[in-house]
């Protein structure tokens, strides 16, 4: 393994945090790429502007797993306002990286956005099981 690999990234890859569904989430969102078939499912349990719990699942690559793990750790237990700020910071950080990482981050963040939309729709009486948003980027691109 290369010496310059960040230990935090390796840890999130080997032991992803918050991976898997939540019991009785308040919102479930999907960010997906129809081009590649990859997706992220994001689960939130939010009440009174607080993200009490979060989870995610993906059929995506290791970059998607790492970004999902890192992002959920950043926002779990935090306010939705903080989560929006963290999402923006993540977008800015990966914007300088490879397009593949940008697409993976976009899928994670889009799924989070979709979960919030789903929660709002449920609060307004919707019985849909989840809310899905397609991303315009493909994760399976050459770096």
């Amino acid at each position: 393994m290369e010496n310059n690999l960040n230990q935090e990234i390796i840890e999130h890859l080997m032991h992803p945090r918050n991976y898997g569904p939540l019991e009785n989430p308040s919102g479930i969102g999907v960010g997906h790429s129809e081009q590649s078939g990859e997706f992220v499912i994001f689960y939130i349990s939010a009440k009174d502007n607080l993200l009490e719990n979060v989870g995610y699942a993906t059929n995506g690559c290791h970059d998607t797993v790492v970004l999902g793990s890192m992002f959920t750790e950043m926002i779990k237990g935090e306010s939705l306002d903080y989560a929006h700020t963290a999402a923006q910071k993540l977008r800015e950080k990966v914007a300088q990286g490879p397009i593949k990482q940008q697409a993976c981050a976009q899928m994670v963040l889009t799924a989070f956005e979709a979960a919030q939309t789903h929660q709002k729709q449920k609060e307004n009486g919707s019985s849909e099981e989840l809310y899905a948003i397609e991303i315009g980027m493909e994760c399976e691109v050459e770096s």
Side-chain angles (χ1 to χ4, degrees), residues 49-52 73-83:
N49 197 40
L50 180 69
L51 286 168
E52 295 174 339
E73 279 293 282
M74 290 170 63
I75 65 171
K76 185 176 182 176
E78 299 289 345
S79 71
L80 284 168
D81 295 333
Y82 175 84

Side-chain angles (χ1 to χ4, degrees), residues 35-51:
Q35 296 161 320
S36 69
E38 287 188 279
F39 61 84
V40 171
I41 304 172
F42 210 101
Y43 306 89
I44 60 172
S45 287
K47 186 177 178 184
D48 300 327
N49 197 40
L50 180 69
L51 286 168

Side-chain angles (χ1 to χ4, degrees), residues 72-106:
T72 57
E73 279 293 282
M74 290 170 63
I75 65 171
K76 185 176 182 176
E78 299 289 345
S79 71
L80 284 168
D81 295 333
Y82 175 84
H84 291 276
T85 300
Q88 185 58 38
K89 286 183 181 180
L90 180 59
R91 275 188 189 94
E92 290 168 5
K93 186 170 186 165
V94 299
Q96 298 161 20
I99 291 184
K100 180 176 178 16
Q101 285 179 351
Q102 292 175 37
C104 295
Q106 184 63 37

Side-chain angles (χ1 to χ4, degrees), residues 26-30 42-44 110-120 131:
S26 57
I28 303 172
V30 178
F42 210 101
Y43 306 89
I44 60 172
T110 299
F112 172 60
E113 177 185 320
Q116 292 173 80
T117 300
H118 181 241
Q119 178 177 338
K120 288 175 189 168
Y131 186 80

Side-chain angles (χ1 to χ4, degrees), residues 1 13-14 33 36-38 46 62 79-80 89 94 97 108 112 122 128 134 137:
M1 226 177 254
L13 179 60
M14 300 302 291
S33 168
S36 69
E38 287 188 279
H62 65 275
S79 71
L80 284 168
K89 286 183 181 180
V94 299
V108 169
F112 172 60
K122 282 175 60 177
E128 294 291 327
E134 184 176 343
M137 302 174 86

